[in-house]
Amino acid sequence: MQQLLEGKHVLITGGTGSLGKILTRRLLSGELGTPTQVVILSRDEAKQHFMRLEYMQVDSATDEVIYRNFRNLLTFRIGDVRDFHSVSSALRGIDIVFNAAALKQVPTCEYFPYEAVRTNIEGPENIVRAIREFGLPVQTVVGISTDKACKPINVMGMTKAIQERVFIRANLDCLATRFICVRYGNVLASRGSVIPLFHKQIRSGGPLTITSREMTRYLMSLNEAVDIIFTALREANPGDTYVAKIPSARIVDLAEVLIGDRQVDVQVIGTRPGEKLHEILVSEEEVFRTVERGNYFAILPMLPELQVSGDEKRPLTEEYSSASHPLDKDGLYNMLKRHRLFVEDQPEFEKELLR
């Protein structure tokens, strides 16, 4: 795995988002080998500009490899996954694609469903179409999905579920390219997530707003999100969907642990449009084709043409839900401490988001 990306040309769609930025940094570190080129495709020139500035301000004495590789390897392209010509142009000469471009805010997708369709479904279809119609020698495409794609009730989840199916089906049309997916839960401290909101509310004196006292969510860090992408890149067979074994927690417990001994209230405001009380990473229908691979589950494709015979262990007997065995407050405290996500860690936390 150490040289998996040595000499490769890599494309990250949506590379200026929270996940895309951490993924880029990990690629530039050379932990999978040094790529020849890392291309960031996004439609926001301001985010690209600030991402350049952030790398230019890195202390090269302490981050020498990443700084050098940024200068030598990183390329920015303005474009949109919704546009076939943007996608087909960006894919020229590319070996590995990470599709991180997405509309991911649940209420936004509810109010603008077709916009979610264009980014989360038409974008992946443009990637597949370009590889198929131009015979592009792309080796692997990794579709980045979400727990909301499992038994979806909201537009964001529905469109991400279709993204998974678009990529899995593409293995039958583009035989030289491996299409795989990863699926995971809430990413701690990503842009628009609950922890930055709670930090802001705590600094303002409260209250901390939650939608339900019963609500649970899977929790993982940005680096853990990249870990599953790299593991799937190494191990997954065509059509596999990798799922991380990650802890879950009640959101009200998360709020109360972050508050600590401060005199700050928690206020219940009701669920937002499209919100679930609990998230699921593997449904009861998927349990029977889910196998265990180290610290991950792999959901095998339902298409018979992609099924690989084997005797891998089927570890699950029921759906993998955030409502099952959430962390207690001590476990939550330790997780937040480990990732430096308390309010008093805010300066370091902001630095990590920028990096």
Side-chain angles (χ1 to χ4, degrees):
M1 185 171 179
Q2 294 305 313
Q3 301 299 312
L4 194 61
L5 295 179
E6 183 70 30
K8 302 296 186 183
H9 294 258
V10 178
L11 172 67
I12 307 174
T13 68
T16 54
S18 300
L19 176 64
K21 290 169 72 173
I22 298 297
L23 176 57
T24 299
R25 180 176 175 80
R26 296 274 296 272
L27 292 172
L28 295 180
S29 75
E31 67 178 270
L32 298 187
T34 304
T36 296
Q37 185 184 37
V38 177
V39 181
I40 303 295
L41 176 68
S42 73
R43 58 184 178 176
D44 192 324
E45 61 176 342
K47 289 180 182 177
Q48 290 189 7
H49 172 67
F50 287 120
M51 193 169 172
R52 282 193 197 94
L53 292 180
E54 289 156 14
Y55 277 105
M56 291 173 67
Q57 293 166 2
V58 167
D59 181 357
S60 59
T62 58
D63 235 340
E64 184 175 348
V65 171
I66 292 175
Y67 180 74
R68 182 185 69 240
N69 285 343
F70 152 70
R71 294 179 64 88
N72 295 335
L73 309 182
L74 199 58
T75 301
F76 291 91
R77 292 184 65 104
I78 293 292
D80 194 333
V81 293
R82 302 175 174 197
D83 181 71
F84 177 71
H85 299 289
S86 289
V87 171
S88 58
S89 177
L91 283 170
R92 298 283 180 177
I94 294 296
D95 300 303
I96 308 292
V97 178
F98 300 103
N99 185 48
L103 283 185
K104 61 180 185 177
Q105 293 298 316
V106 169
T108 300
C109 293
E110 291 301 309
Y111 283 107
F112 303 98
Y114 185 61
E115 297 301 316
V117 168
R118 295 187 65 200
T119 299
N120 298 349
I121 299 177
E122 291 181 12
E125 177 60 25
N126 282 335
I127 294 171
V128 175
R129 178 186 166 198
I131 294 171
R132 181 181 64 240
E133 293 189 4
F134 296 112
L136 301 177
V138 175
Q139 297 170 8
T140 299
V141 175
V142 182
I144 297 171
S145 190
T146 168
D147 50 12
K148 294 171 179 61
C150 190
K151 298 175 71 171
I153 67 162
N154 51 52
V155 171
M156 192 274 199
M158 293 172 190
T159 54
K160 280 296 193 174
I162 297 297
Q163 176 201 242
E164 291 181 7
R165 302 303 172 88
V166 166
F167 280 144
I168 291 169
R169 170 64 173 83
N171 286 287
L172 302 182
D173 291 333
C174 310
L175 300 181
T177 303
R178 175 183 58 150
F179 293 86
I180 57 179
C181 295
V182 297
R183 185 193 287 174
Y184 44 70
N186 284 29
V187 178
L188 293 166
S190 61
R191 190 162 40 228
S193 65
V194 70
I195 286 184
L197 172 64
F198 283 169
H199 282 185
K200 181 178 180 181
Q201 291 174 336
I202 289 172
R203 289 196 305 269
S204 301
L208 268 65
T209 54
I210 64 171
T211 54
S212 167
R213 287 189 170 273
E214 288 73 42
M215 183 171 287
T216 61
R217 287 293 182 267
Y218 286 107
L219 302 175
M220 67 191 308
S221 71
L222 283 164
N223 274 307
E224 287 169 335
V226 175
D227 287 342
I228 185 177
I229 293 170
F230 285 174
T231 301
L233 184 65
R234 179 188 64 186
E235 298 179 356
N237 296 317
D240 285 353
T241 299
Y242 265 56
V243 173
K245 298 178 184 178
I246 51 177
S248 63
R250 296 169 68 226
I251 297 302
V252 66
D253 290 343
L254 177 63
E256 290 173 354
V257 170
L258 284 169
I259 290 170
D261 57 4
R262 299 176 180 87
Q263 298 301 309
V264 175
D265 293 331
V266 174
Q267 179 181 350
V268 179
I269 60 174
T271 55
R272 301 179 300 169
E275 238 179 3
K276 283 183 177 181
L277 278 182
H278 310 291
E279 296 290 2
I280 300 168
L281 275 168
V282 181
S283 72
E284 62 266 30
E285 290 84 5
E286 294 169 327
V287 162
F288 303 104
R289 51 188 173 89
T290 297
V291 299
E292 193 169 33
R293 294 181 185 161
N295 293 323
Y296 302 94
F297 297 123
I299 304 171
L300 306 183
M302 67 170 61
L303 299 179
E305 296 90 341
L306 297 176
Q307 292 171 2
V308 178
S309 61
D311 56 357
E312 292 178 283
K313 178 182 177 184
R314 268 44 173 194
L316 297 175
T317 58
E318 59 184 11
E319 66 182 13
Y320 188 37
S321 168
S322 63
S324 302
H325 312 297
L327 290 173
D328 60 19
K329 289 186 178 180
D330 287 340
L332 260 177
Y333 177 89
N334 292 332
M335 170 187 281
L336 295 171
K337 198 69 176 176
R338 184 170 69 253
H339 294 297
R340 304 191 310 277
L341 291 174
F342 283 100
V343 175
E344 53 267 28
D345 300 318
Q346 186 70 15
E348 195 66 26
F349 165 57
E350 287 181 339
K351 180 181 177 182
E352 285 300 314
L353 272 185
L354 290 175
R355 297 174 66 178

